Amino acid sequence: MSAQPECTGSIESHEIRWPWSRFTPHLSERRILLVTVDLLVLNAILAGRLLITGRIELVWSSLGQNMVWFLVFNLLWSTIASALEAYELTVAAVPFESIFHTVQAYLVTTGIYLLIPIAAPPFDRQLVWFGQVGGSLLALAVWRLIYAHLIIQPIFRRRVMIIGAGSAGRIAVGLLRHHATANHHIVGFIDDDPGKQDTVIEGIGVLGPSDDLLDLAARTGATDIVLAISHTIRPQLFATLLRCQEQGYIVAPLPILYEELSGRMPVAHLDRDWWTIWQNPPSPLRRLYRSVKRLVDLVVALLALGLIALPGLLIALAIRLDSPGPIFYRQTRIGRGGRPITVTKFRTMIASAEADGRPRWAQAGDERITRVGRWLRRARLDEWPQFLNLLDGTMALIGPRPERPAFVEQLNAEIPCYQARHLVRPGLTGWAQVQYQYGQSVDDARIKLEYDLYYIKHEGPYLDLLVLIRTVRAVLRLEGR
């Protein structure tokens, strides 16, 4: 969804006080609203079907005995809808996209729900069941249309004032326009540079210095203040920001906003704020999570290696018939703690792809990729042998993808904090893989690092589940390269 430049070059255009501005819902509150109404609609229709078929009665004892039907459905819906982007606010603000993602999530949820006979009500009276499906889709579509129509109205948009009209301020503008066009309106910059007063930067007016922050925030009806400066803030500005918070304004540094909107960590702003990625110190729960994750890796590896044995033989035969060379391709990559590991993949390139010994970034339409290899990459089947790495513990199912030593050396020199991605075991798939395209350059590596650092900071069962579901979707859509 493209955004039109918001040219606000003078204070006069914001003289009117917006009395309702403090009551506009925050981003997290919008997601809660979406989830709550979705679940109310879906549970009401599910309960209606069960009442019609006589499976439950409107008494607490009957509802309590069959509560598992509702719990499983709610858990499935919440997880799958999140993974399929039904709760992405930029998606929810566009009617067609919102309905498409919501319908997709409902159909997938219903399909999986019916495959769990112990936790789902019996499939009976088909007419009533199809009525539930049709009624749910219609109700969800109507609700999402209402939400998308209302949320773009000025009364519901957060009004953002950005402190700092330099490079960080321009990053904030781009971030808000790209990720939150329908949810935010930028009212102006605050900057102490006399040369920037009453100028327009990125279509946004510089309204005044930080000494006038409280007055300007009130006059523009601001709800949020983004701190986008690259130098240490003055004590006077710090005190003013505290007063802003006391008066109900949401004050957020640029890195926090960046995380919330993009699902990434801003590498360019971590050189002075390295410890922001250490907000999850070791704890009993975190150690338990890591232990359970390792156990899951072992179980998945054993099951997968058994299931892919026969298909793996067919893939090996196809590789051998398609082009001369070995079936498997082994590479040294960098794992946890910066230690080298050996990764095995099905060969997807010609045997002489790097005959000169010089590693190269893979490119879109790379002529070195074989015919069979192109299909293996699109379906990500070339990664199958790496289940062996899950067994020996050098890799996990989910984590940052391991990179080659030559690229790591280059990227360490060019990108701040690049070595931080080695804090955890590399993964067969990861947050960066499901959120971004195949890396082809240093700039791509920088963006993928931002996703990797976000995963390291927020890793947990929920984020792992999102990655798994989106990986399955990418495989089914043949989105790999």
Side-chain angles (χ1 to χ4, degrees):
M1 181 175 177
S2 62
Q4 298 297 323
E6 303 172 60
C7 186
T8 55
S10 64
I11 301 175
E12 286 75 11
S13 61
H14 296 295
E15 290 287 348
I16 300 174
R17 176 76 172 118
W18 291 42
W20 58 80
S21 60
R22 298 294 181 86
F23 302 100
T24 55
H26 196 260
L27 298 186
S28 59
E29 295 167 342
R30 294 168 196 237
R31 290 192 180 94
I32 292 172
L33 175 64
L34 284 169
V35 173
T36 300
V37 176
D38 283 354
L39 290 177
L40 285 174
V41 167
L42 294 175
N43 280 283
I45 295 176
L46 175 59
R49 171 203 160 192
L50 297 176
L51 284 170
I52 291 173
T53 56
R55 293 292 175 183
I56 63 171
E57 299 176 1
L58 285 178
V59 292
W60 283 113
S61 59
S62 177
L63 292 172
Q65 291 171 0
N66 301 291
M67 188 59 66
V68 65
W69 294 345
F70 293 90
L71 291 176
V72 171
F73 182 82
N74 289 326
L75 180 61
L76 284 174
W77 166 260
S78 300
T79 303
I80 292 171
S82 296
L84 297 183
E85 301 176 352
Y87 293 124
E88 294 290 333
L89 296 182
T90 50
V91 170
V94 182
F96 176 79
E97 289 189 25
S98 181
I99 293 173
F100 173 79
H101 285 271
T102 305
V103 168
Q104 181 185 52
Y106 179 78
L107 293 177
V108 173
T109 299
T110 302
I112 296 176
Y113 187 57
L114 292 176
L115 296 177
I116 312 176
I118 298 177
F123 180 82
D124 54 6
R125 297 181 63 175
Q126 295 183 7
L127 184 61
V128 176
W129 188 85
F130 283 114
Q132 176 195 342
V133 173
S136 298
L137 292 177
L138 178 61
L140 286 173
V142 170
W143 152 236
R144 288 305 184 111
L145 278 174
I146 293 173
Y147 175 88
H149 176 72
L150 290 179
I151 206 64
I152 64 173
Q153 303 303 317
I155 188 174
F156 292 111
R157 298 173 77 184
R158 307 289 295 181
R159 298 174 61 78
V160 182
M161 180 172 287
I162 301 173
I163 301 178
S167 59
R170 289 192 290 272
I171 289 174
V173 171
L175 188 70
L176 289 165
R177 284 178 173 169
H178 181 73
H179 292 282
T181 304
N183 301 301
H184 292 86
H185 172 73
I186 305 172
V187 299
F189 283 114
I190 296 293
D191 199 286
D192 290 332
D193 184 351
K196 293 179 180 177
Q197 301 304 312
D198 297 321
T199 62
V200 176
I201 299 174
E202 298 289 332
I204 308 297
V206 179
L207 304 182
S210 60
D211 291 342
D212 299 331
L213 175 58
L214 275 168
D215 179 56
L216 290 171
R219 292 164 64 186
T220 57
T223 59
D224 298 68
I225 298 171
V226 175
L227 185 62
I229 57 177
S230 56
H231 54 79
T232 303
I233 65 173
R234 295 180 294 107
Q236 184 178 353
L237 175 57
F238 181 74
T240 303
L241 291 174
L242 288 179
R243 287 199 296 273
C244 287
Q245 287 192 305
E246 291 171 354
Q247 294 186 22
Y249 296 99
I250 303 297
V251 180
L254 176 60
I256 301 301
L257 180 73
Y258 198 99
E259 276 190 63
E260 183 177 15
L261 293 183
S262 68
R264 295 151 51 185
M265 293 190 68
V267 167
H269 294 270
L270 288 183
D271 51 344
R272 293 172 304 279
D273 300 315
W274 167 257
W275 293 101
T276 58
I277 68 170
W278 290 85
Q279 292 186 8
N280 285 325
S283 66
L285 283 178
R286 194 162 182 79
R287 285 192 288 269
L288 176 62
Y289 159 74
R290 292 275 175 86
S291 299
V292 172
K293 182 176 180 179
R294 177 61 186 142
L295 178 61
V296 170
D297 288 344
L298 288 171
V299 172
V300 168
L302 291 171
L303 291 175
L305 289 171
L307 291 173
I308 67 177
L310 181 57
L313 290 175
L314 297 177
I315 290 174
L317 179 61
I319 293 172
R320 179 53 60 90
L321 294 175
D322 183 49
S323 64
I327 293 171
F328 298 103
Y329 181 60
R330 292 177 176 83
Q331 275 187 343
T332 298
R333 300 204 175 190
I334 301 301
R336 186 178 183 181
R339 292 183 290 272
I341 62 174
T342 300
V343 171
T344 303
K345 305 171 67 174
F346 283 121
R347 180 175 60 84
T348 59
M349 289 189 173
I350 58 175
S352 58
E354 292 183 352
D356 58 1
R358 185 167 61 90
R360 299 178 180 86
W361 297 98
Q363 301 291 329
D366 199 322
E367 295 182 354
R368 298 174 298 165
I369 302 175
T370 65
R371 290 171 299 178
V372 170
R374 201 169 303 281
W375 283 100
L376 292 179
R377 287 187 172 216
R378 290 186 65 183
R380 303 193 182 186
L381 302 182
D382 58 319
E383 312 286 355
W384 276 6
Q386 291 173 44
F387 284 113
L388 294 170
N389 292 99
L390 265 66
L391 281 180
D392 65 21
T394 55
M395 289 180 64
L397 183 61
I398 299 170
R401 286 292 295 158
E403 195 50 86
R404 302 172 68 176
F407 291 147
V408 169
E409 183 178 354
Q410 175 190 0
L411 296 170
N412 270 335
E414 298 190 30
I415 303 176
C417 308
Y418 187 81
Q419 67 272 25
R421 70 194 307 271
H422 301 139
L423 291 171
V424 298
R425 283 199 301 269
L428 196 60
T429 184
W431 184 238
Q433 275 57 52
V434 299
Q435 293 293 98
Y436 193 68
Q437 63 189 15
Y438 198 86
Q440 303 178 46
S441 65
V442 173
D443 288 336
D444 286 340
R446 181 180 288 105
I447 294 175
K448 297 189 82 168
L449 173 64
E450 292 185 341
Y451 283 114
D452 287 334
L453 294 183
Y454 181 91
Y455 174 79
I456 292 171
K457 179 178 176 180
H458 298 281
E459 68 170 331
Y462 178 71
L463 189 55
D464 287 345
L465 196 55
L466 290 188
V467 172
L468 283 177
I469 294 175
R470 293 186 182 182
T471 299
V472 172
R473 182 183 63 177
V475 170
L476 293 177
R477 292 180 176 179
L478 300 178
E479 292 178 349
R481 278 202 297 114

